[in-house]
Amino acid sequence: MFERLHHVQILCPPGGEDAARAFYGGVLGMTEVAKPPELKARGGCWFRSGGWEVHVSPVEDFSPQRRAHPGVLVNGLDDLARQLETAGRPVTWDPHFPGHRRFYAQDDHGNRLEFLEPAEIKD
């Protein structure tokens, strides 16, 4: 019945679109997607890369999500970690997910993101 995840909505404070563009577009290299005209007035911005899409939406009384998060499968986890660290965004490795290597990072609004890759099986 289900095919795949279309998008994840991540919140930001009002006026936080430029910081979202700097992180999702600049640091992660995602492509910004034009919002439909009927949704553009709400603010926010959308990004797409590979098999995931992020919809960043401003809300009053914003509070970063430090526990809830998207878990994104990647190819080249070490490269992504270096990319984030080079851009001054720390990563926190977590070995506690069977069959995968993973780390956590935060966007520029403090929202938690998980990136993971299947672990190589060694004989």
Side-chain angles (χ1 to χ4, degrees), residues 7-123:
H7 70 272
V8 173
Q9 183 176 43
I10 298 201
L11 304 180
C12 73
E17 290 89 349
D18 286 343
R21 286 183 178 97
F23 182 77
Y24 292 98
V27 175
L28 295 184
M30 298 179 80
T31 301
E32 186 166 357
V33 178
K35 291 183 69 172
E38 59 272 12
L39 299 178
K40 195 171 189 174
R42 297 180 185 177
C45 41
W46 294 359
F47 303 90
R48 180 183 301 141
S49 182
W52 75 309
E53 195 167 298
V54 177
H55 295 180
V56 181
S57 299
V59 294
E60 297 294 330
D61 300 323
F62 167 75
S63 179
Q65 295 301 305
R66 302 197 188 281
R67 186 148 176 96
H69 60 274
V72 183
L73 283 171
V74 300
N75 183 4
L77 190 66
D78 294 313
D79 293 336
L80 178 58
R82 277 190 294 279
Q83 181 178 331
L84 284 160
E85 290 173 330
T86 297
R89 276 55 172 215
V91 303
T92 303
W93 290 92
D94 182 353
H96 305 292
F97 195 89
H100 292 77
R101 296 177 58 240
R102 72 175 174 173
F103 66 78
Y104 294 102
Q106 293 182 350
D107 69 10
D108 288 353
H109 297 296
N111 293 306
R112 186 181 204 185
L113 303 168
E114 177 183 342
F115 298 99
L116 62 161
E117 180 175 55
E120 290 182 26
I121 299 173
K122 302 197 186 224
D123 293 330

